[in-house]
Amino acid sequence: MTDFDVAAIRAQFPILRQEVNGHPLVYLDNAATTQKPESVINAIADYYRFDNSNVHRGAHALSDRATEKFEAARQKLAEFVNASSREQILWTRGTTEGVNLVAASWGASSLQAGDRVLVSAMEHHSNIVPWQMVAARVGATVEPIPVDALGCIDVEALAAMLDERVKMVAVGHVSNALGSINPIQAITTMVHDVGARVFIDAAQSVAHWPLDVQALDCDFLAFSAHKMFGPTGMGVLYGKRELLEAMPPYQGGGEMIESVSFAGTLYNKLPYKFEAGTPNIAGAIGLGAAVDFLQGLDRQAADAHEKALLAEAEAALQSLGGFRLVGRAREKVAVMSFVSDFAHPQDIGMILDQQGIAVRTGNHCAQPIMDQYGLPGTVRASFSLYNTADDISRLMAGLEKAKMFLA
Amino acid sequence: MTQFGTDVTSDDIIETLGFFDGWEERYKYIIDLGKELPPMDAAGKTEQNLVRGCQSQVWLVTREEGGKLYFTADSDAFIVKGLLAVVLAAYNGKSPAEVSAFDIDGYFEALNLLKHLSSTRGNGLKAMVQRIQAEASAR
Ligand SMILES: Cc1ncc(COP(=O)(O)O)c(C=O)c1O
């Protein structure tokens, strides 16, 4: 293990100090959602306690204050992903809404019959279904980019698929089901060479290392606040300015208009054109606090800590016997997906739950890759920076017990 | 194999589970009940008999004989299979009216297993109970 001060980090997460089923909680479902530090909880509570008001309505002090904090959060997020302007940071409900927005707005206006949209075979359903919906409407197709037995995108197969009919390639930065880190930089370059656009689902990478949308040169990138220590119901969609400018609005309503009349309505400028209705103000402020939390860390040390946990857990699992790792990409985040040769993943999850250990079991909303591997699902232990070597010992003891019960 | 509903009734299960203090004994017992469940042959495992749960697969076959309902059920997960045995002990060999009248929530509450009946558990148990109830009320 590194000298990363995990005890000091843990102390900032009140939820971790509880017992579940009579045991101290071991939370290993971080890929589903991370827990929230005190600073994020306080930022949200303080907003409601002191500043709550509708934004961009002016006219009084509270509204000014709320607007200022809300827009400061946007600026913070722009810097966080190195976007060239704050207008390119659109607030969403999460990754899912980010994909739906681009599919519905960019997709419906840019895709035509016969066009192709490529997604990897290990995408989360939220980066498949919105594309299928728009493709069905315009007569385009959605095709899977092959993923190999280790859980890596077959980049050569992608190269062979690319032609001038491909208009969009939507890939996850990191697979939530397997933990694989995809070579999105290389993919983006290849895709741009045929004039297509790239959408990056960064839901599973954003918590792990700094993102730089300009260096990646992606056309769109989306993530969820709740997977990076922020609140649920909040997310970010980044887009290249010229694309966002050209895209039609996604939803209509207040905030997104410049002027409304029955003769014709003028839409607001970026980013408001895409933000109809009263936004999730507390969510934006909470997300801003989550960014502050992350920026306050030594992120390299945090990443090294998580990677050390993964290495330790994978080695321990393999020495237990009876379990098999699923997803063996060389580049992985701290996600350990596995199956057993003696029971269904759900059985194992239930036995772990009885011992106060939270993992995810199932297909992880990535049914195509589970089908490809012929699995009903996996058990997934996903580690975050507040997890410890002790959590791994507890997990292994829990799995020993599951084996005793079920094997 | 054990006939659930006759050899082992819901009252038997309530009584036996009442003896155990810890979750380990309780779960062992439930898993063992699942192992006693009469097997379902491959022909029964059709798409039509599949009860859509989120994670494990659950199949249910219903048969009516002399005004009574008989069920065969199976799952690819051990604990769920045990819970199916618990459910069948309550429903097997009862008339449609008796099935409809049975207080399944109260039964699971008495067993301290109510959380498994919640639809959020994704184990397909809730969906199976709903299907049994629908089969009963359709007759
Ligand atoms: C890779 C990936 N994409 C998309 C999503 C969807 O995120 P959300 O449900 O926050 O919109 C998730 C979350 O489970 C994910 O892991």
Side-chain angles (χ1 to χ4, degrees), chain A residues 136-152:
Chain A
R137 254 193 294 154
V138 304
T141 57
V142 177
E143 301 164 38
I145 307 162
V147 169
D148 67 17
L150 297 177
C152 300

PDB file of all heavy atoms in Angstrom, chain A residues 136-152:
ATOM      1  N   ALA A 136     -33.598   4.350 -35.097  1.00  0.00           N
ATOM      2  CA  ALA A 136     -34.859   3.800 -35.593  1.00  0.00           C
ATOM      3  C   ALA A 136     -35.689   4.907 -36.260  1.00  0.00           C
ATOM      4  O   ALA A 136     -36.379   4.676 -37.249  1.00  0.00           O
ATOM      5  CB  ALA A 136     -35.649   3.162 -34.453  1.00  0.00           C
ATOM      6  N   ARG A 137     -35.586   6.109 -35.713  1.00  0.00           N
ATOM      7  CA  ARG A 137     -36.379   7.210 -36.268  1.00  0.00           C
ATOM      8  C   ARG A 137     -35.862   7.667 -37.637  1.00  0.00           C
ATOM      9  O   ARG A 137     -36.643   8.013 -38.511  1.00  0.00           O
ATOM     10  CB  ARG A 137     -36.383   8.396 -35.300  1.00  0.00           C
ATOM     11  CG  ARG A 137     -37.704   8.551 -34.576  1.00  0.00           C
ATOM     12  CD  ARG A 137     -37.787   9.881 -33.873  1.00  0.00           C
ATOM     13  NE  ARG A 137     -36.796   9.945 -32.799  1.00  0.00           N
ATOM     14  CZ  ARG A 137     -36.277  11.082 -32.351  1.00  0.00           C
ATOM     15  NH1 ARG A 137     -36.657  12.237 -32.853  1.00  0.00           N
ATOM     16  NH2 ARG A 137     -35.392  11.067 -31.386  1.00  0.00           N
ATOM     17  N   VAL A 138     -34.543   7.704 -37.779  1.00  0.00           N
ATOM     18  CA  VAL A 138     -33.996   8.276 -39.020  1.00  0.00           C
ATOM     19  C   VAL A 138     -33.569   7.203 -40.023  1.00  0.00           C
ATOM     20  O   VAL A 138     -33.188   7.532 -41.141  1.00  0.00           O
ATOM     21  CB  VAL A 138     -32.802   9.223 -38.740  1.00  0.00           C
ATOM     22  CG1 VAL A 138     -33.202  10.328 -37.784  1.00  0.00           C
ATOM     23  CG2 VAL A 138     -31.600   8.452 -38.200  1.00  0.00           C
ATOM     24  N   GLY A 139     -33.614   5.944 -39.614  1.00  0.00           N
ATOM     25  CA  GLY A 139     -33.207   4.885 -40.542  1.00  0.00           C
ATOM     26  C   GLY A 139     -31.711   4.627 -40.538  1.00  0.00           C
ATOM     27  O   GLY A 139     -31.150   4.138 -41.516  1.00  0.00           O
ATOM     28  N   ALA A 140     -31.044   4.958 -39.446  1.00  0.00           N
ATOM     29  CA  ALA A 140     -29.617   4.658 -39.304  1.00  0.00           C
ATOM     30  C   ALA A 140     -29.461   3.315 -38.590  1.00  0.00           C
ATOM     31  O   ALA A 140     -30.450   2.720 -38.157  1.00  0.00           O
ATOM     32  CB  ALA A 140     -28.933   5.765 -38.513  1.00  0.00           C
ATOM     33  N   THR A 141     -28.229   2.831 -38.463  1.00  0.00           N
ATOM     34  CA  THR A 141     -28.007   1.585 -37.731  1.00  0.00           C
ATOM     35  C   THR A 141     -27.063   1.837 -36.565  1.00  0.00           C
ATOM     36  O   THR A 141     -26.253   2.760 -36.594  1.00  0.00           O
ATOM     37  CB  THR A 141     -27.365   0.497 -38.630  1.00  0.00           C
ATOM     38  OG1 THR A 141     -26.148   1.023 -39.162  1.00  0.00           O
ATOM     39  CG2 THR A 141     -28.285   0.095 -39.756  1.00  0.00           C
ATOM     40  N   VAL A 142     -27.202   0.997 -35.536  1.00  0.00           N
ATOM     41  CA  VAL A 142     -26.280   1.027 -34.396  1.00  0.00           C
ATOM     42  C   VAL A 142     -25.573  -0.310 -34.370  1.00  0.00           C
ATOM     43  O   VAL A 142     -26.229  -1.357 -34.316  1.00  0.00           O
ATOM     44  CB  VAL A 142     -27.027   1.267 -33.070  1.00  0.00           C
ATOM     45  CG1 VAL A 142     -26.052   1.224 -31.893  1.00  0.00           C
ATOM     46  CG2 VAL A 142     -27.773   2.595 -33.116  1.00  0.00           C
ATOM     47  N   GLU A 143     -24.243  -0.273 -34.469  1.00  0.00           N
ATOM     48  CA  GLU A 143     -23.483  -1.524 -34.582  1.00  0.00           C
ATOM     49  C   GLU A 143     -22.438  -1.619 -33.485  1.00  0.00           C
ATOM     50  O   GLU A 143     -21.831  -0.616 -33.122  1.00  0.00           O
ATOM     51  CB  GLU A 143     -22.783  -1.571 -35.949  1.00  0.00           C
ATOM     52  CG  GLU A 143     -23.749  -1.491 -37.119  1.00  0.00           C
ATOM     53  CD  GLU A 143     -23.040  -1.158 -38.423  1.00  0.00           C
ATOM     54  OE1 GLU A 143     -21.921  -1.654 -38.633  1.00  0.00           O
ATOM     55  OE2 GLU A 143     -23.605  -0.375 -39.203  1.00  0.00           O
ATOM     56  N   PRO A 144     -22.229  -2.859 -32.993  1.00  0.00           N
ATOM     57  CA  PRO A 144     -21.251  -3.023 -31.912  1.00  0.00           C
ATOM     58  C   PRO A 144     -19.814  -3.118 -32.420  1.00  0.00           C
ATOM     59  O   PRO A 144     -19.534  -3.831 -33.385  1.00  0.00           O
ATOM     60  CB  PRO A 144     -21.677  -4.343 -31.259  1.00  0.00           C
ATOM     61  CG  PRO A 144     -22.327  -5.111 -32.366  1.00  0.00           C
ATOM     62  CD  PRO A 144     -22.954  -4.104 -33.291  1.00  0.00           C
ATOM     63  N   ILE A 145     -18.907  -2.439 -31.752  1.00  0.00           N
ATOM     64  CA  ILE A 145     -17.476  -2.614 -32.001  1.00  0.00           C
ATOM     65  C   ILE A 145     -17.059  -3.817 -31.157  1.00  0.00           C
ATOM     66  O   ILE A 145     -17.313  -3.837 -29.950  1.00  0.00           O
ATOM     67  CB  ILE A 145     -16.677  -1.378 -31.542  1.00  0.00           C
ATOM     68  CG1 ILE A 145     -17.247  -0.105 -32.167  1.00  0.00           C
ATOM     69  CG2 ILE A 145     -15.193  -1.538 -31.862  1.00  0.00           C
ATOM     70  CD1 ILE A 145     -16.809   1.173 -31.451  1.00  0.00           C
ATOM     71  N   PRO A 146     -16.422  -4.810 -31.774  1.00  0.00           N
ATOM     72  CA  PRO A 146     -16.094  -6.030 -31.018  1.00  0.00           C
ATOM     73  C   PRO A 146     -15.205  -5.765 -29.806  1.00  0.00           C
ATOM     74  O   PRO A 146     -14.353  -4.878 -29.825  1.00  0.00           O
ATOM     75  CB  PRO A 146     -15.356  -6.901 -32.034  1.00  0.00           C
ATOM     76  CG  PRO A 146     -15.728  -6.372 -33.371  1.00  0.00           C
ATOM     77  CD  PRO A 146     -16.019  -4.915 -33.186  1.00  0.00           C
ATOM     78  N   VAL A 147     -15.448  -6.560 -28.775  1.00  0.00           N
ATOM     79  CA  VAL A 147     -14.647  -6.527 -27.553  1.00  0.00           C
ATOM     80  C   VAL A 147     -14.105  -7.938 -27.358  1.00  0.00           C
ATOM     81  O   VAL A 147     -14.844  -8.912 -27.526  1.00  0.00           O
ATOM     82  CB  VAL A 147     -15.527  -6.098 -26.357  1.00  0.00           C
ATOM     83  CG1 VAL A 147     -14.804  -6.312 -25.033  1.00  0.00           C
ATOM     84  CG2 VAL A 147     -15.945  -4.640 -26.503  1.00  0.00           C
ATOM     85  N   ASP A 148     -12.832  -8.063 -27.021  1.00  0.00           N
ATOM     86  CA  ASP A 148     -12.238  -9.401 -26.937  1.00  0.00           C
ATOM     87  C   ASP A 148     -12.487 -10.066 -25.581  1.00  0.00           C
ATOM     88  O   ASP A 148     -13.153  -9.501 -24.706  1.00  0.00           O
ATOM     89  CB  ASP A 148     -10.737  -9.349 -27.281  1.00  0.00           C
ATOM     90  CG  ASP A 148      -9.925  -8.590 -26.234  1.00  0.00           C
ATOM     91  OD1 ASP A 148     -10.429  -8.376 -25.104  1.00  0.00           O
ATOM     92  OD2 ASP A 148      -8.775  -8.217 -26.541  1.00  0.00           O
ATOM     93  N   ALA A 149     -11.922 -11.257 -25.415  1.00  0.00           N
ATOM     94  CA  ALA A 149     -12.177 -12.049 -24.214  1.00  0.00           C
ATOM     95  C   ALA A 149     -11.611 -11.403 -22.956  1.00  0.00           C
ATOM     96  O   ALA A 149     -12.090 -11.642 -21.847  1.00  0.00           O
ATOM     97  CB  ALA A 149     -11.586 -13.451 -24.380  1.00  0.00           C
ATOM     98  N   LEU A 150     -10.600 -10.560 -23.124  1.00  0.00           N
ATOM     99  CA  LEU A 150     -10.027  -9.880 -21.964  1.00  0.00           C
ATOM    100  C   LEU A 150     -10.867  -8.675 -21.533  1.00  0.00           C
ATOM    101  O   LEU A 150     -10.736  -8.191 -20.414  1.00  0.00           O
ATOM    102  CB  LEU A 150      -8.604  -9.388 -22.288  1.00  0.00           C
ATOM    103  CG  LEU A 150      -7.554 -10.447 -22.605  1.00  0.00           C
ATOM    104  CD1 LEU A 150      -6.237  -9.785 -22.983  1.00  0.00           C
ATOM    105  CD2 LEU A 150      -7.359 -11.369 -21.409  1.00  0.00           C
ATOM    106  N   GLY A 151     -11.695  -8.192 -22.466  1.00  0.00           N
ATOM    107  CA  GLY A 151     -12.481  -7.003 -22.165  1.00  0.00           C
ATOM    108  C   GLY A 151     -11.893  -5.749 -22.786  1.00  0.00           C
ATOM    109  O   GLY A 151     -12.092  -4.646 -22.274  1.00  0.00           O
ATOM    110  N   CYS A 152     -11.158  -5.917 -23.893  1.00  0.00           N
ATOM    111  CA  CYS A 152     -10.572  -4.764 -24.585  1.00  0.00           C
ATOM    112  C   CYS A 152     -11.284  -4.545 -25.912  1.00  0.00           C
ATOM    113  O   CYS A 152     -11.584  -5.508 -26.619  1.00  0.00           O
ATOM    114  CB  CYS A 152      -9.092  -4.983 -24.863  1.00  0.00           C
ATOM    115  SG  CYS A 152      -8.128  -5.242 -23.375  1.00  0.00           S
TER     116      CYS A 152
END
